[in-house]
Amino acid sequence: MSVLNCLEDLAIAPLPNHAQIQLTGSDAFSFMHRLSTQNCQTPQSGQGCLNALLTPKGRFVGLLHQVVLPNNSVLLLGGQGQQQQIEQWLNKHLFIENVQLCSVNKQNTIWWVAGKKAASKLTRLLGQSPPAEPWQCLLHNNDYIFRTFNCVDSHGQPVPAWLLRIRHTRGNSLIDALTSQANPHVLSADEAEAIRIAAGIPRYDNEINDQTNPLQLGLQAAIDINKGCYVGQEVMSRLITYKKVKDRLVKIMCHEQAYQQLRVGQRLLLHNQQAGQITSVSPLFTPGVAVALALVKLPVDTTLPSDALVVQSNQTDSVSVRLHTSS
């Protein structure tokens, strides 16, 4: 049975140790506008976006879910283990602006919620629909519901997903109500990772790291191409204007015998030439489901999204793949 079958109803998973940073002060929005890939100059309460912090070379510092809070501050949710890295980078670039950075991860927890019945079950608990548009956010009794990356069902069709930032309470939180009233499938860490990889969602630091940029990972939604200067903007503009992005994140399909030999860091061979490497391998094998992710240098005439099919895996340091365009 496919792990993706749980998405026919409702699935939830805790996301421990994810970055949670709140920016306050009169210069919070101009500060984020100066540093990040999104336009933050005209904030509206509750407005959300997918945002990125980059190095001057256009490489990732962090990928963020961002929302404007009612008190004219900014909430940033980053990846697992990124709290200190993002805080240090923001503080490094804070000069004379009136901005205060506050870690709020000890007061709150983050949960991932997805499934074909997730929206209706959340609606019953919230008294209103959760956000349907990508990256938008809903405030509900000090909890935040972020629309996040779609996952996919066993047929490859999109399934909506949300991040819930839940304030710590004693047995009376939104996640407690969801667990007791909606009968969700609580994912193990391995199940959650298999669902992520099947959907082709990048994570820190397998795919999101100081060697990659948003365009390689298909994260164009994190970039406002009409925006002016920000850290890494010159590199991003050149890559977009001259179509210089040489490799892309693709999903790897293979039979079970080949899957047993896949590992992170393994080289990929395309027509016997090195074409990239594997970045994530699913901890669970499910027939017919993508089981790995890889950064691959694609042929010029290949359009995205693309998958790769393992055709040979008899070496410890490399696998041979054949690319094909997804339907």
Side-chain angles (χ1 to χ4, degrees):
M1 179 179 292
S2 171
V3 65
L4 301 183
N5 287 350
C6 67
L7 299 176
E8 295 297 318
D9 193 335
L10 173 66
I12 65 175
L15 299 179
N17 302 319
H18 276 58
Q20 301 180 51
I21 302 168
Q22 187 168 332
L23 279 64
T24 60
S26 58
D27 297 325
F29 300 115
S30 59
F31 177 64
M32 284 302 298
H33 185 81
R34 175 169 69 85
L35 295 182
S36 69
T37 55
Q38 290 286 15
N39 189 330
C40 305
Q41 284 189 317
T42 56
Q44 298 179 10
S45 180
Q47 181 181 23
C49 67
L50 187 67
N51 205 349
L53 301 175
L54 305 177
T55 69
K57 293 183 178 181
R59 310 289 178 82
F60 272 111
V61 174
L63 183 70
L64 307 166
H65 284 73
Q66 174 181 305
V67 66
V68 178
L69 303 185
N71 60 357
N72 289 323
S73 61
V74 182
L75 175 64
L76 307 174
L77 301 185
Q80 186 175 19
Q82 283 191 292
Q83 182 82 28
Q84 184 177 7
Q85 175 185 345
I86 293 174
E87 281 187 358
Q88 289 178 345
W89 193 86
L90 290 172
N91 277 311
K92 176 183 175 182
H93 291 82
L94 183 58
F95 302 126
I96 61 173
E97 291 102 335
N98 176 24
V99 178
Q100 293 79 47
L101 274 65
C102 179
S103 301
V104 292
N105 54 337
K106 293 182 180 180
Q107 296 85 21
N108 308 277
T109 56
I110 300 177
W111 286 75
W112 180 86
V113 175
K116 295 181 180 179
K117 297 182 180 179
S120 61
K121 292 186 175 183
L122 282 170
T123 298
R124 283 197 292 270
L125 290 175
L126 299 171
Q128 56 185 318
S129 300
E133 294 297 317
W135 327 123
Q136 296 309 303
C137 181
L138 172 67
L139 171 61
H140 177 79
N141 296 337
N142 294 318
D143 296 328
Y144 292 87
I145 297 91
F146 293 81
R147 185 69 164 84
T148 190
F149 297 95
N150 284 335
C151 43
V152 296
D153 64 15
S154 56
H155 303 290
Q157 297 302 305
V159 176
W162 291 266
L163 297 180
L164 275 55
R165 198 207 73 163
I166 307 298
R167 192 158 185 84
H168 293 318
T169 58
R170 292 188 176 181
N172 191 30
S173 73
L174 176 59
I175 203 67
D176 291 326
L178 194 65
T179 301
S180 62
Q181 300 178 34
N183 192 31
H185 176 81
V186 182
L187 298 167
S188 68
D190 283 354
E191 288 175 325
E193 182 70 348
I195 288 173
R196 175 189 76 84
I197 293 172
I201 300 171
R203 65 167 289 179
Y204 179 83
D205 63 348
N206 294 51
E207 290 82 29
I208 301 170
N209 53 55
D210 60 6
Q211 298 299 310
T212 58
N213 65 62
L215 301 177
Q216 290 173 293
L217 306 184
L219 297 173
Q220 287 84 348
I223 301 175
D224 184 339
I225 61 174
N226 297 315
K227 181 187 171 183
C229 294
Y230 59 86
V231 179
Q233 184 263 339
E234 290 185 5
V235 174
M236 288 295 98
S237 294
R238 286 199 300 271
L239 292 175
I240 294 170
T241 300
Y242 299 108
K243 297 179 172 58
K244 290 292 187 179
V245 182
K246 296 181 179 179
D247 49 4
R248 300 289 199 284
L249 189 66
V250 302
K251 293 187 290 186
I252 300 294
M253 311 287 287
C254 67
H255 55 74
E256 189 167 8
Q257 182 178 359
Y259 160 75
Q260 297 294 338
Q261 301 179 55
L262 293 180
R263 59 181 176 81
V264 173
Q266 208 166 21
R267 294 182 302 143
L268 294 182
L269 303 179
L270 181 62
H271 307 308
N272 294 321
Q273 299 293 320
Q274 184 168 339
Q277 69 176 22
I278 293 174
T279 59
S280 290
V281 177
S282 171
L284 304 174
F285 175 77
T286 303
V289 174
V291 295
L293 298 178
L295 276 171
V296 179
K297 186 178 294 185
L298 297 178
V300 175
D301 59 351
T302 302
T303 58
L304 291 179
S306 290
D307 295 339
L309 177 68
V310 172
V311 295
Q312 183 180 354
S313 183
N314 55 10
Q315 303 180 54
T316 59
D317 64 339
S318 64
V319 292
S320 297
V321 298
R322 180 174 68 245
L323 292 175
H324 67 90
T325 303
S326 300
S327 57

